[in-house]
């Protein structure tokens, strides 16, 4: 089972030579093995996901801000009716998801109505999705602290577990932080929202993101094996990430890199 990060940027894609090392695409993560493919969030990085034929493709959204949805219509595989997509989110029910996708990807804001007979998609309430996935993987959800809400996920397959916690503001609501900590406790991989530094976050309270330094604290508290700091601020270039990587990240904590494959087993 592999985990691959296809997009690690927050807010907006960054096409610049200064971010070639860590990547400029917005959030998209893939977990796949021979029997299934699971994609969490469809930021612009989704464009580069290779959809595998003859195995089910599951898609979950943490929430529906642009940087987590904008890649959806730009992967040619979504127009191939031989591919079936099981789509869900713990944040909204089936009807709510259909409404928001329709609003995002139909005229006048998008040239096609992609939900109108163009995609072989199967939008499910989260409980139904969870039940449909159970033969392949176990997925649990917990709330995150973000404007409008966001759902975090814990995906487990054969004793390996990955916790995805974008977008989240750590330290604002204790109950929510406790739920996240419980989910991440001793897990294999945590994907952490480290959009800001500890100095930057002082003026960003209520914006729904955490800091790089809080990621380090969380890593020690959770005893996770590895923690990847993702959702990099658009203005954070490779040079700055390299310097911080050398100076403030302990062993086991990394800055997420686009196209990075992490072998789970
Ligand atoms: Zn985001
Ligand atoms: Zn967001």
């Amino acid at each position: 089972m592999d985990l691959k990060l296809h997009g690690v940027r927050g807010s907006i894609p960054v096409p610049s030579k200064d971010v070639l090392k860590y990547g400029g695409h917005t959030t998209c993560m893939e977990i796949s093995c021979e029997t299934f493919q699971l994609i969490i969030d469809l930021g612009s990085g989704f464009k580069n996901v290779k959809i595998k034929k003859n195995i089910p493709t599951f898609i979950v959204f943490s929430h529906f801000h642009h940087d987590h949805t904008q890649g959806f219509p730009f992967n040619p595989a979504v127009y191939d009716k031989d591919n079936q997509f099981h789509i869900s989110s713990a944040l909204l029910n089936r009807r709510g998801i259909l409404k928001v996708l329709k609003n995002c990807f139909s005229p006048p804001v998008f040239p096609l109505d992609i939900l109108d007979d163009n995609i072989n998609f199967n939008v499910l309430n989260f409980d139904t999705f969870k039940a449909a996935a159970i033969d392949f993987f176990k997925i649990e959800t917990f709330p995150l602290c973000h404007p409008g809400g966001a759902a975090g996920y814990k995906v487990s397959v054969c004793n390996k577990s990955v916790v995805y916690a974008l977008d989240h503001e750590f330290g604002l609501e204790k109950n929510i932080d406790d739920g996240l900590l419980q989910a991440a406790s001793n897990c294999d991989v945590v994907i952490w929202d480290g959009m800001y530094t500890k100095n930057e976050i002082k003026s960003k309270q209520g914006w729904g993101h955490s800091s790089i330094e809080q990621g380090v604290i969380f890593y020690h508290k959770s005893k996770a094996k590895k923690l990847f700091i993702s959702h990099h601020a658009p203005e954070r270039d490779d040079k700055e990430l390299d310097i911080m990587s050398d100076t403030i990240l302990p062993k086991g904590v990394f800055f997420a890199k686009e196209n990075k494959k992490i072998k789970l087993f």
Side-chain angles (χ1 to χ4, degrees), residues 96-192:
I97 298 167
L98 284 166
K99 192 174 165 205
V100 75
L101 292 177
K102 174 114 182 154
N103 286 342
C104 290
F105 304 113
S106 68
V109 294
F110 193 75
L112 296 175
D113 183 339
I114 55 160
L115 298 189
D116 188 16
D117 204 34
N118 282 305
I119 295 181
N120 189 1
F121 66 97
N122 185 20
V123 178
L124 302 164
N125 285 324
F126 189 68
D127 281 347
T128 317
F129 177 89
K130 214 168 136 174
I134 200 72
D135 290 339
F136 305 96
F137 57 90
K138 183 178 165 200
I139 185 163
E140 299 156 89
T141 184
F142 45 88
L144 298 174
C145 194
H146 196 60
Y153 297 103
K154 179 174 186 172
V155 179
S156 313
V157 191
C158 303
N159 299 325
K160 298 283 174 185
S161 52
V162 177
V163 166
Y164 180 92
L166 309 178
D167 300 12
H168 175 57
E169 184 163 350
F170 190 72
L172 211 59
E173 283 195 41
K174 193 178 177 307
N175 286 351
I176 293 184
D177 285 341
D178 287 350
L180 168 59
L181 187 60
Q182 201 185 339
S185 194
N186 296 304
C187 75
D188 292 276
V189 173
V190 174
I191 307 295
W192 179 262

Side-chain angles (χ1 to χ4, degrees), residues 168-171 193-214 236:
H168 175 57
E169 184 163 350
F170 190 72
D193 176 344
M195 179 124 169
Y196 303 126
T197 64
K198 71 171 189 235
N199 285 331
E200 290 163 359
I201 207 166
K202 288 177 193 158
S203 61
K204 312 280 189 194
Q205 221 195 1
W207 288 35
H209 300 286
S210 306
S211 73
I212 293 161
E213 291 83 350
Q214 286 171 326
R236 188 115 38 236

Side-chain angles (χ1 to χ4, degrees), residues 9-11 27 63 65 67-68 146 166-167 193 195 209 231:
R9 203 51 68 171
S11 302
T27 300
H63 65 308
H65 287 163
D67 51 333
H68 298 250
H146 196 60
L166 309 178
D167 300 12
D193 176 344
M195 179 124 169
H209 300 286
H231 210 278

